[in-house]
Amino acid sequence: MTKKNIKSIQGQQVTPNPIGPECIRVTKIYDWVVLTNRDRTNVSIPEECATQIEACRAEGNTITASCSEVVGSRDCDLIGAVPADIGVPGAQIVTLAFHVQVRVQFLCNGIALPGCNFVAPVSFVDDVILCYPEGTEINCDIYDVQCNVLLNQMLGNMVVLDVVICPTVQVTAQVALEVEARFCGPREIIPIPEQEVACPFPTFPPQCPTFFPPLTTDAQGVVEYNGPVTISYIEGGAAGGIAARAVFTTTPTGEIDFTALIGDQCRLSGSEIQVSFLDTPGPTPAGTPDDDRDQSFTFNATEFNQPTLTAPNSLTVTGSGTFTPSGGVTENATFTLSMTDSDPNADRATLTITSATAIVTIALTEVSNPGLEVEVEPCNRF
């Protein structure tokens, strides 16, 4: 008998097997957003249940209630679409309806009341701008539902439910692609303009590069610290302005809540910086500016420039935001944030905020500020 030459399957059946571009037919995502729908809705209490509630209260007992979604009741419907006036061919204002059923349960002193376990439907209608050209379709999915009963707003046989529905909406079409790709996520919502005009529709679904896929970054980083700190505070005094900035130079001590998230999921839109500093009496002698002036403040970043990797584990980003000194008026400000991820015990971060009346520098190190967490990662491309 002749022995057959059978090769084992090892993930390739061609030799040689070079890496190269491939053409595949896939479902392409033309747009992707995540919505948040929250509303308070009045629900009728069954007559039998209303009677049980009143009897419980008349005896001096306590009424509590719970609310939860009915499994398998989530549903999304496309109501319609009209062209969106944002200067992008294929963009439309899409109207969607979201439905869910919730189960309400009333209890008297923790014991379920007879007839007080009932189901109520909840629906939301929402408009959203999507890249929705001819040839694509809407795919909607509700990924989270939250429900609470507001007992303090009961009136007669009605109870108010606080319901949150979280849908994710994608626009898709079947296409043939030669692909080199990276992970992506949903974009930010575009405000809907009041005026609407018609947009032309091509025969083949066009791209929407001006707002999807979102811009990526080459780096991402996180800084988190909550605790005592000593900062540098150069204040311009009553006159304000650049020329008067150096009137008061102090190093106040206090408690700070510092969070910076740069390029979350490698998207510039997924960035935020929030700082809250509470000035407390410092170690300086009585009568110094640190004791006489309250230098508490808050800062929130609103715009970010592209971050840069100054080293494999170090990131620098600049931008602008709002600076609000204690008892003062909110001012526009610029910022520079530098962070280094150096484990173990050598993380550090420095944030400099510059406004019309102040320059604040927050320098944190893991040695001086135990609990400081810094992470820096490059956004590798495939």
Side-chain angles (χ1 to χ4, degrees):
M1 179 180 294
T2 303
K3 185 177 181 180
K4 294 183 179 179
N5 183 16
I6 300 176
K7 295 182 179 180
S8 61
I9 297 177
Q10 297 179 352
Q12 67 180 49
Q13 295 298 304
V14 178
T15 302
N17 186 26
I19 296 175
E22 298 289 346
C23 184
I24 60 174
R25 180 171 175 81
V26 295
T27 300
K28 172 178 165 49
I29 299 174
Y30 280 78
D31 206 351
W32 185 8
V33 296
V34 171
L35 307 177
T36 300
N37 299 96
R38 181 175 186 174
D39 199 6
R40 293 182 175 180
T41 181
N42 295 330
V43 173
S44 296
I45 302 174
E47 183 176 350
E48 178 185 359
C49 179
T51 301
Q52 296 285 345
I53 292 173
E54 291 304 320
C56 175
R57 287 177 168 171
E59 296 175 359
N61 297 317
T62 301
I63 288 290
T64 56
S66 64
C67 176
S68 60
E69 68 167 309
V70 176
V71 177
S73 66
R74 301 176 181 180
D75 189 31
C76 297
D77 293 325
L78 172 62
I79 304 300
V82 296
D85 184 18
I86 62 172
V88 178
Q92 297 204 54
I93 300 176
V94 178
T95 302
L96 300 165
F98 310 107
H99 314 282
V100 70
Q101 291 186 336
V102 296
R103 180 174 299 279
V104 182
Q105 170 75 68
F106 283 89
L107 304 96
C108 179
N109 284 353
I111 301 175
L113 287 171
C116 284
N117 187 330
F118 57 93
V119 173
V122 177
S123 297
F124 294 101
V125 176
D126 199 0
D127 292 331
V128 60
I129 291 180
L130 294 172
C131 174
Y132 181 40
E134 186 176 355
T136 58
E137 62 181 26
I138 300 291
N139 291 284
C140 174
D141 180 52
I142 298 173
Y143 66 91
D144 190 33
V145 176
Q146 303 170 25
C147 183
N148 291 290
V149 181
L150 304 181
L151 291 174
N152 59 341
Q153 297 191 26
M154 291 183 61
L155 181 62
N157 65 339
M158 303 292 292
V159 65
V160 179
L161 305 182
D162 183 14
V163 181
V164 178
I165 295 180
C166 304
T168 175
V169 184
Q170 292 183 347
V171 183
T172 62
Q174 287 288 321
V175 297
L177 295 177
E178 180 180 328
V179 180
E180 182 178 352
R182 66 185 300 165
F183 289 110
C184 66
R187 61 167 173 82
E188 302 295 330
I189 297 297
I190 298 175
I192 298 178
E194 295 183 1
Q195 185 179 3
E196 301 172 5
V197 296
C199 295
F201 294 101
T203 57
F204 188 80
Q207 301 295 306
C208 297
T210 57
F211 67 84
F212 187 87
L215 292 177
T216 59
T217 63
D218 292 327
Q220 56 185 339
V222 176
V223 178
E224 290 184 343
Y225 178 69
N226 190 327
V229 70
T230 299
I231 67 173
S232 170
Y233 198 120
I234 303 175
E235 187 175 351
I242 296 176
R245 276 181 178 164
V247 172
F248 294 102
T249 302
T250 59
T251 54
T253 59
E255 293 287 326
I256 196 169
D257 189 351
F258 184 166
T259 300
L261 181 61
I262 308 301
D264 186 28
Q265 297 185 4
C266 292
R267 292 182 295 126
L268 190 61
S269 60
S271 300
E272 65 177 44
I273 298 177
Q274 295 182 338
V275 181
S276 177
F277 176 71
L278 177 63
D279 188 4
T280 57
T284 53
T288 64
D290 186 25
D291 288 325
D292 296 342
R293 305 176 69 83
D294 181 3
Q295 288 158 316
S296 303
F297 68 89
T298 60
F299 174 75
N300 289 282
T302 55
E303 295 185 7
F304 295 82
N305 300 318
Q306 285 286 348
T308 57
L309 281 174
T310 55
N313 64 335
S314 297
L315 179 151
T316 298
V317 63
T318 61
S320 58
T322 57
F323 176 78
T324 306
S326 175
V329 177
T330 298
E331 308 170 359
N332 293 326
T334 60
F335 72 87
T336 299
L337 172 62
S338 299
M339 63 180 79
T340 298
D341 180 3
S342 184
D343 294 325
N345 304 322
D347 287 352
R348 59 185 185 274
T350 300
L351 174 66
T352 301
I353 304 166
T354 305
S355 73
T357 61
I359 302 176
V360 176
T361 302
I362 306 164
L364 304 173
T365 66
E366 198 168 359
V367 173
S368 301
N369 309 101
L372 171 66
E373 293 289 341
V374 178
E375 294 184 11
V376 175
E377 294 182 358
C379 294
N380 295 322
R381 300 180 183 274
F382 290 98

